[in-house]
Amino acid sequence: MGKKIKLLALDLDGTLLNEEKQITPRTWAALERARSQGVLVVPITGRPAQGLPPAVLTIPGLRYAVTSNGATIRDLVQGEVLLEKHLAAETCLAVLEKSAHFPMIRQVFREGIGYLSQPDYEILRDRYAGTALLQYHLDTRQVLPGTVAEFLASDRRPVEELFFLTDSPQSKQQLRQTLTGVSDIGFADPFPNDLEVIAGDIDKGEALRFLLRRLDISADQVLAMGDGGSDLPLLQAAGIGVAMANAAEEVKAGADFVTGSCNEDGVALALEKFVLGE
């Protein structure tokens, strides 16, 4: 198996968190046992910092968190930002102008808060009504008096990402093709209909490499798990990359191992196999 695992890099939604956005008892117990063996647990998520749920923040020994698909890395204990790879407002405005004809929800994230127009907020609330994600969206979004473009034009500070919610995978693919020529941007694919625009020199894999250099941990001492397209760079940057059973097919194809689903203790099963020796 190689060197002893020292760091566990975990996506949240669809990986560590089940469909009810909770950590299962078996997975919680496995995390505690891994922690007792000195394994550092690091959430690496597309969520903003304010979107980290209590179930994650109360993991024993939690210190580092990678949010917004790598755009921000924080030392939670010291209250220090270790890395920021953000988008210039001018770049965001170019993206918004080029994609102005697409019917979709437009959001921009700055300092962990998502900003969107009132009409888009109403659509977003209807979209997630009755789901476990509704409260998360309500807690981490702020309604603008106007549009996202107007917000960025009036406040030119950098942002973590643009987040577009389209109506179909086909629309998302067309959107991505439309934006491919815009300089200094990259993409994250968290869900089938959604596209995140991030800085071109960051993703979850690059964020992991930055943290490993800081902690003097080698890649072959890392176990990473994920389920979405944005997790593939993370799995490929780790010594052992594990895809969930509920993962996208391209993620499974690029992983070293496929574990159970997020509803079937998949994280615990992988920990028991690769870390706990059970």
Side-chain angles (χ1 to χ4, degrees):
M1 186 176 69
K3 293 184 179 180
K4 179 181 177 181
I5 297 299
K6 289 187 176 182
L7 189 144
L8 176 62
L10 291 172
D11 172 56
L12 297 185
D13 298 288
T15 301
L16 179 61
L17 303 176
N18 62 15
E19 290 182 354
E20 299 304 316
K21 304 306 171 186
Q22 298 296 322
I23 300 174
T24 65
R26 181 175 177 181
T27 294
W28 187 264
L31 289 173
E32 288 186 321
R33 294 200 299 277
R35 170 61 183 168
S36 71
Q37 295 183 15
V39 177
L40 188 64
V41 178
V42 180
I44 301 186
T45 177
R47 290 187 181 217
Q50 281 81 347
L52 294 174
V56 172
L57 291 173
T58 53
I59 292 173
L62 184 68
R63 178 160 185 176
Y64 303 102
V66 179
T67 56
S68 297
N69 290 299
T72 306
I73 303 178
R74 285 180 171 84
D75 182 328
L76 302 174
V77 174
Q78 298 296 326
E80 179 186 1
V81 175
L82 305 181
L83 177 71
E84 286 185 332
K85 290 284 189 176
H86 292 177
L87 288 166
E90 291 77 10
T91 301
C92 294
L93 289 169
V95 168
L96 291 168
E97 181 178 2
K98 197 162 187 179
S99 60
H101 60 290
F102 278 86
M104 60 186 178
I105 299 174
R106 294 163 172 81
Q107 304 175 85
V108 60
F109 282 83
R110 177 181 282 151
E111 298 178 356
I113 297 294
Y115 297 88
L116 70 170
S117 68
Q118 182 69 49
D120 280 354
Y121 179 79
E122 299 299 334
I123 298 171
L124 183 76
R125 189 169 59 182
D126 290 344
R127 174 172 174 170
Y128 289 103
T131 72
L133 274 174
L134 177 61
Q135 194 58 49
Y136 156 68
H137 284 288
L138 296 180
D139 290 343
T140 57
R141 265 60 170 184
Q142 184 169 322
V143 178
L144 296 169
T147 66
V148 167
E150 290 168 345
F151 172 69
L152 290 170
S154 64
D155 185 343
R156 297 292 182 123
R157 289 177 297 158
V159 301
E160 290 163 330
E161 64 177 43
L162 291 168
F163 193 176
F164 299 133
L165 281 66
T166 71
D167 57 7
S168 70
Q170 293 73 27
S171 293
K172 182 184 79 171
Q173 185 59 30
Q174 291 171 2
L175 173 63
R176 182 166 182 159
Q177 291 173 352
T178 297
L179 297 176
T180 299
V182 180
S183 61
D184 302 322
I185 67 169
F187 302 103
D189 284 319
F191 306 108
N193 294 358
D194 305 342
L195 185 68
E196 299 181 36
V197 177
I198 57 179
D201 57 349
I202 195 65
D203 57 29
K204 288 186 177 184
E206 287 301 319
L208 174 62
R209 293 184 186 98
F210 172 89
L211 193 57
L212 294 182
R213 290 192 296 270
R214 186 179 182 92
L215 300 176
D216 194 24
I217 295 175
S218 62
D220 57 359
Q221 295 173 308
V222 178
L223 173 64
M225 302 189 214
D227 70 304
S230 59
D231 297 318
L232 192 52
L234 173 65
L235 304 191
Q236 294 173 339
I240 304 174
V242 175
M244 309 301 289
N246 52 279
E249 290 304 316
E250 66 269 19
V251 179
K252 293 179 184 178
D256 300 305
F257 181 77
V258 178
T259 186
S261 76
C262 62
N263 293 323
E264 299 169 328
D265 301 306
V267 168
L269 291 169
L271 279 172
E272 290 161 4
K273 177 179 177 64
F274 294 109
V275 178
L276 303 175
E278 299 175 5

